[in-house]
Amino acid sequence: MADVMTGADMVVEALKDQGVETIFGYPGGAVLPIYDALFQQNAVQHILVRHEQGAAHAAEGYARSSGKVGVLLVTSGPGATNAITGLTDALMDSIPIVCITGEVPTHLIGSDAFQECDTVGITRHCTKHNYLVRSVEDLPRVLHEAFYVAQHGRPGPVVIDIPKDVQFARGTYAGPQNIEHKSYHPQVKGAPDRIEQAVMLMAAAKKPIFYTGGGVINSGPEASRLLRELVAATGFPVTSTLMGLGAYPAAGPNWLGMLGMHGTFEANNAMHDCDLMIAVGSRFDYRITGRLDAFSPGSTKIHIDIDPSSINKNVKIDLGIIGDCANVLADMLGVWRQRGLKSDAPALQKWWDQIAVWRGRRSLSYKFSDKVIKPQWAIERLYAATKDKDTYITTEVGQHQMWAAQHYHFEEPNRLMTSGGLGTMGYGLPAAIGAQMAHPQSLVIDIAGESSILMNIQELSTAAQYRLPVKIFILNNEYLGMVRQWQELLHGSRYSESYAAALPDFVKLAEAYGAHGMRCSDPADLDAAIAEMIETPRTVVFDCIVDKMENCLPMIPSGKAHNEMLLPDMEEDLENAIDQAGKMLV
Amino acid sequence: MNAPAAPLSPYSSAIGKSNLESHTLSVLVDNEPGVLARVVGLFSGRGYNIESLTVAEVAHAEHLSRITIVTSGTPEAIEQIGHQLERLVPIHKVTDLTLRGNAVERELAMIKVAGRGDNRVEALRLAEAFRARVIDASIESFVFEITGNVSKIDQFVELMRPLGLVEVSRTGVAAMSRGKDPI
């Protein structure tokens, strides 16, 4: 049966067929036909954001917390350009989102028409793929292809640019079935001989470590389950990147904490000294590796990744396995069990003893104060108050983000939404809105900084409109804290433009938006205040006044190696921690 | 210890190293709008070099184009370029013809030379030696067409320079593996 309909109706029909229940967007001239089609149906709910960047991050938060594709709908020109940061963010963190942009009618393309920009040209560099649909006959295929491309292989953002005349034109709609992509077929199954080689290396390893990343989370909950099984079967220690937190539970016996620039002493030293590294869905970013020529010098490196370009990109890999994490982990477990393999128990015991020595440095420690709230302590108290609840955490970017990663403990995948690759300030609030839409009954908290939150503060209005009870927990130190910390480390404590002057009164600001505002500055009041925040069934802005000059430690100073960490008890050495070459890095 | 500083970006490792190699990549793509921009944008965005690039549709019914790219970099960078190209959605296949060894490479050039007297005679004589054809002639100029590998054309252009070289138009390299198999 042929379904003849308008292009705008096709968009809505395709969203339904793809199982999309919620989209985020902002209307404008070039998408009016699609908004009209949305108006006349109830299957797809539209959340009106206040800025298109918010729509993109909300779609990301929705996608990351639910494992589904996030969708946003924006107009041409400024609607599309405002979404760019969110698209780039999704590209860097491999988050599946589909962004539908309106476009000026085909006969006006290239004429510098009102609200025209070269959307496909601009977004080519910040999407996994993009389309300009010039004919309504192509539209159904492109819509379904976009969802396929967004979620298959290494996930990422896809833009569909639809001129207004194509939205009005009538054509025949076809569903998602029987749409096979002609060129894009990522390899999901790992090569059996390589998997076997990997497992044999694991059985022989004396100082092994799992180094896992966002790919495990992207692969789905099954990958996290299999990772836990494989870790349990082998008894190996496991560390993870920021993006991979929660894949292995923080309460698990083999957990070393996060690694990298602000990772734990034990995780980084274990990476440096290991003899076998099993990288799973991680990409050897230099914020992870530190100085590349001193990165884990004595180890054999196995790298499992769905993206062949990740392997050997930054670090020479001895055994690359291309495939989906869940598939490869399942096959590895299969071989391990089938062969009845055992880890080298005495060697592993020595390895764990060494790790215990590193742990003894207590690299996440800080000096508690009863006069001023220490930001680390605030996160700890927040964790204590929420760990037994169904909680989703988002963050902005900066010190608070790293403290959240260090001191909030994630037991399950998809529970932390944070801008890892691009480092987008302003990510957390819209992402929390997206996560709350995906999990209406859950507790969603944006751990924020006072400066980051102002970058997309307008989304408070969105939260208010849809009565979303997101909690915004601001660690307010009146500084762009990470910038200030780097200026202390690298620029003689000359705090150039990093003081957050003229901050708004966040309590009044919350009230102005119809949210509940709170402030706490006394450590003695913190627990009660956090409890009040959690119990308030509305949007809450919690202005938590913390120690202004606290530094985020431990730290691998830029340009240094994993075993050259700066620990909290070395803080007086801060000024000399980074050499000239390190100052060049970001 | 006087260890060298880490490279500023993972991609800068391709630059300034001594073991630069030149490789010819053959890339089969869907001939759709923007596909060339994707390929070129990938090279500029990641700081890779393009020494030459040719593109044309090779299978009309299937809308397939073949792009031949000559690029240079360390072996690691070139491996990375191949993988990065494979990530592009409309790309069907990437083949490193240099790695496969001994591919046939040809380029076509048109070369305009103007002059009179001895220079003109010498230009024509050299053209014959290089098997360049005259495709346009006037009283005081020739346009030569020459086909060959890159170095042969380079050499011919250099020889024409003192004889009144006016301008050069080159197609870039087209390449194919030897033997019966396709890429």
Side-chain angles (χ1 to χ4, degrees):
Chain A
M1 192 187 85
D3 282 318
V4 176
M5 60 180 79
T6 66
D9 285 329
M10 286 179 185
V11 171
V12 175
E13 218 44 46
L15 292 176
K16 286 188 210 164
D17 282 345
Q18 291 290 341
V20 176
E21 293 164 352
T22 308
I23 68 171
F24 305 88
Y26 202 99
V31 272
L32 285 179
I34 299 174
Y35 271 89
D36 198 41
L38 282 171
F39 189 78
Q40 300 176 47
Q41 56 83 50
N42 289 315
V44 180
Q45 186 188 6
H46 178 274
I47 303 297
L48 178 68
V49 295
R50 299 303 188 265
H51 185 289
E52 288 88 349
Q53 185 191 352
H57 294 322
E60 285 187 274
Y62 183 90
R64 291 177 73 162
S65 65
S66 69
K68 296 189 229 167
V69 177
V71 179
L72 66 149
L73 174 61
V74 300
T75 194
S76 62
T81 56
N82 278 346
I84 298 289
T85 301
L87 294 171
T88 313
D89 194 273
L91 183 69
M92 292 288 277
D93 284 348
S94 307
I95 307 304
I97 61 174
V98 168
C99 171
I100 298 167
T101 57
E103 185 52 85
V104 300
T106 42
H107 70 275
L108 288 179
I109 289 178
S111 72
D112 299 324
F114 178 65
Q115 293 195 329
E116 187 194 358
C117 71
D118 178 7
T119 301
V120 283
I122 294 170
T123 59
R124 197 173 286 134
H125 305 275
C126 60
T127 54
K128 182 174 173 187
H129 195 50
N130 64 8
Y131 302 87
L132 169 62
V133 186
R134 286 176 172 273
S135 155
V136 74
E137 298 306 327
D138 294 334
L139 187 55
R141 174 186 58 82
V142 167
L143 285 162
H144 296 302
E145 226 182 80
F147 278 84
Y148 170 85
V149 170
Q151 45 192 327
H152 282 78
R154 181 170 175 177
V158 178
V159 162
I160 312 171
D161 197 30
I162 312 176
K164 196 170 181 181
D165 55 327
V166 175
Q167 298 171 34
F168 277 127
R170 295 177 72 80
T172 306
Y173 175 76
Q177 60 276 17
N178 303 326
I179 292 191
E180 205 201 333
H181 200 278
K182 47 184 174 172
S183 56
Y184 189 67
H185 304 286
Q187 182 181 337
V188 292
K189 203 86 178 128
D193 56 323
R194 287 176 171 250
I195 286 170
E196 187 151 327
Q197 252 181 292
V199 171
M200 298 319 279
L201 285 168
M202 284 161 63
K206 303 206 177 308
K207 297 188 288 179
I209 187 168
F210 282 105
Y211 147 50
T212 70
V216 181
I217 308 228
N218 276 338
S219 177
E222 182 66 3
S224 293
R225 195 187 63 72
L226 289 160
L227 172 70
R228 293 164 189 218
E229 263 192 61
L230 190 58
V231 170
T234 56
F236 293 177
V238 53
T239 180
S240 150
T241 65
L242 176 67
M243 295 295 295
L245 292 178
Y248 186 83
N254 297 38
W255 179 238
L256 301 186
M258 183 175 76
L259 83 161
M261 184 173 274
H262 293 289
T264 66
F265 190 64
E266 53 271 31
N268 285 332
N269 274 286
M271 285 288 281
H272 186 269
D273 283 9
C274 68
D275 70 346
L276 179 69
M277 180 183 300
I278 309 134
V280 192
S282 46
R283 61 184 178 91
F284 295 86
D285 183 89
Y286 83 96
R287 286 260 164 144
I288 290 301
T289 60
R291 204 176 86 204
L292 269 177
D293 59 357
F295 174 69
S296 194
S299 64
T300 301
K301 297 175 185 74
I302 300 172
H303 189 184
I304 301 161
D305 206 292
I306 199 160
D307 178 0
S309 77
S310 276
I311 293 166
N312 282 330
K313 183 166 75 180
N314 301 341
V315 167
K316 182 93 189 81
I317 299 300
D318 300 288
L319 181 63
I321 302 175
I322 298 160
D324 178 63
C325 292
N327 267 315
V328 176
L329 289 169
D331 290 349
M332 287 170 91
L333 256 172
V335 175
W336 183 270
R337 286 183 178 148
Q338 195 190 349
R339 295 279 182 91
L341 294 172
K342 295 253 178 312
S343 309
D344 182 340
L348 211 52
Q349 187 53 51
K350 269 180 72 183
W351 182 224
W352 276 111
D353 290 346
Q354 172 59 57
I355 289 169
V357 173
W358 290 322
R359 263 195 184 135
R361 287 299 299 267
R362 299 180 61 248
S363 60
L364 295 179
S365 61
Y366 58 91
K367 293 191 188 88
F368 174 77
S369 162
D370 56 3
K371 304 279 188 301
V372 56
I373 299 175
K374 289 286 183 176
Q376 302 94 323
W377 188 69
I379 304 278
E380 277 183 12
R381 297 320 299 160
L382 181 70
Y383 172 67
T386 57
K387 64 178 175 172
D388 297 325
K389 298 183 187 304
D390 178 23
T391 309
Y392 291 83
I393 300 289
T394 71
T395 79
E396 310 286 338
V397 169
Q399 285 182 319
H400 68 273
Q401 178 190 29
M402 290 297 106
W403 282 318
Q406 292 172 337
H407 298 280
Y408 200 99
H409 306 293
F410 296 91
E411 305 298 332
E412 296 297 332
N414 305 97
R415 295 287 171 156
L416 169 65
M417 275 59 67
T418 189
S419 174
L422 192 63
T424 310
M425 292 171 72
Y427 170 89
L429 174 54
I433 288 170
Q436 188 81 73
M437 284 308 303
H439 307 277
Q441 305 306 321
S442 305
L443 176 62
V444 179
I445 304 171
D446 171 25
I447 297 177
E450 81 295 323
S451 300
S452 278
I453 191 66
L454 289 177
M455 283 215 182
N456 272 320
I457 193 70
Q458 76 286 346
E459 300 307 328
L460 267 179
S461 192
T462 308
Q465 178 178 345
Y466 298 94
R467 301 176 190 283
L468 300 177
V470 296
K471 318 299 181 206
I472 301 152
F473 190 72
I474 302 172
L475 297 180
N476 185 345
N477 59 8
E478 295 179 21
Y479 275 104
L480 291 156
M482 196 61 96
V483 172
R484 188 207 57 73
Q485 176 172 340
W486 280 56
Q487 286 171 334
E488 183 182 341
L489 281 166
L490 299 167
H491 299 282
S493 297
R494 292 181 295 279
Y495 297 141
S496 178
E497 303 296 327
S498 54
Y499 181 67
L503 280 174
D505 178 330
F506 283 105
V507 175
K508 284 187 186 159
L509 183 76
E511 283 161 6
Y513 276 109
H516 178 61
M518 302 174 58
R519 181 171 295 118
C520 182
S521 54
D522 186 342
D525 300 337
L526 185 61
D527 279 349
I530 289 174
E532 182 191 332
M533 174 185 86
I534 295 167
E535 279 151 26
T536 306
R538 297 162 56 197
T539 312
V540 180
V541 178
F542 188 122
D543 187 15
C544 186
I545 311 293
V546 299
D547 190 342
K548 295 190 200 325
M549 303 305 275
E550 190 72 13
N551 283 322
C552 185
L553 295 170
M555 180 176 186
I556 302 177
S558 46
K560 298 276 183 174
H562 269 169
N563 59 347
E564 300 175 296
M565 286 198 83
L566 200 57
L567 293 171
D569 51 17
M570 298 153 62
E571 206 170 349
E572 55 276 15
D573 288 341
L574 283 188
E575 292 235 357
N576 305 317
I578 300 182
D579 58 20
Q580 206 54 41
K583 287 182 186 183
M584 301 284 285
L585 297 162
V586 290
Chain B
M1 198 175 99
N2 223 348
L8 297 189
S9 109
Y11 306 109
S12 63
S13 60
I15 301 160
K17 291 250 180 90
S18 53
N19 57 338
L20 290 185
E21 294 178 0
S22 181
H23 282 232
T24 305
L25 307 180
S26 204
V27 187
L28 269 185
V29 301
D30 278 329
N31 184 17
E32 59 176 41
V35 67
L36 186 59
R38 286 182 209 286
V39 171
V40 173
L42 167 67
F43 275 75
S44 64
R46 293 189 182 266
Y48 304 142
N49 303 313
I50 297 180
E51 292 182 353
S52 111
L53 183 146
T54 64
V55 55
E57 193 166 74
V58 290
H60 194 64
E62 296 98 338
H63 292 289
L64 280 180
S65 288
R66 181 161 169 153
I67 302 176
T68 307
I69 306 167
V70 182
T71 182
S72 63
T74 60
E76 296 79 24
I78 286 169
E79 183 196 332
Q80 183 63 208
I81 290 170
H83 289 314
Q84 291 291 351
L85 284 168
E86 280 165 353
R87 277 167 49 133
L88 299 179
V89 169
I91 283 191
H92 288 260
K93 195 166 191 189
V94 181
T95 309
D96 185 332
L97 290 172
T98 308
L99 269 190
R100 283 184 53 165
N102 204 21
V104 191
E105 298 191 4
R106 288 294 180 270
E107 185 177 11
L108 182 145
M110 293 183 200
I111 291 148
K112 185 176 284 184
V113 181
R116 286 167 175 273
D118 287 352
N119 279 358
R120 186 172 163 82
V121 176
E122 184 61 16
L124 199 58
R125 209 180 58 77
L126 283 165
E128 249 169 61
F130 275 77
R131 294 188 197 154
R133 297 191 328 157
V134 176
I135 55 175
D136 177 71
S138 69
I139 301 292
E140 47 190 350
S141 72
F142 288 119
V143 175
F144 296 115
E145 173 201 313
I146 181 169
T147 306
N149 60 29
V150 174
S151 61
K152 173 182 167 183
I153 294 173
D154 287 346
Q155 203 184 346
F156 185 66
V157 169
E158 281 315 305
L159 288 171
M160 289 301 114
R161 203 173 292 284
L163 302 178
L165 180 74
V166 177
E167 61 177 346
V168 180
S169 174
R170 298 172 71 150
T171 58
V173 170
M176 195 162 274
S177 60
R178 291 178 191 270
K180 68 177 170 55
D181 297 323
I183 53 167

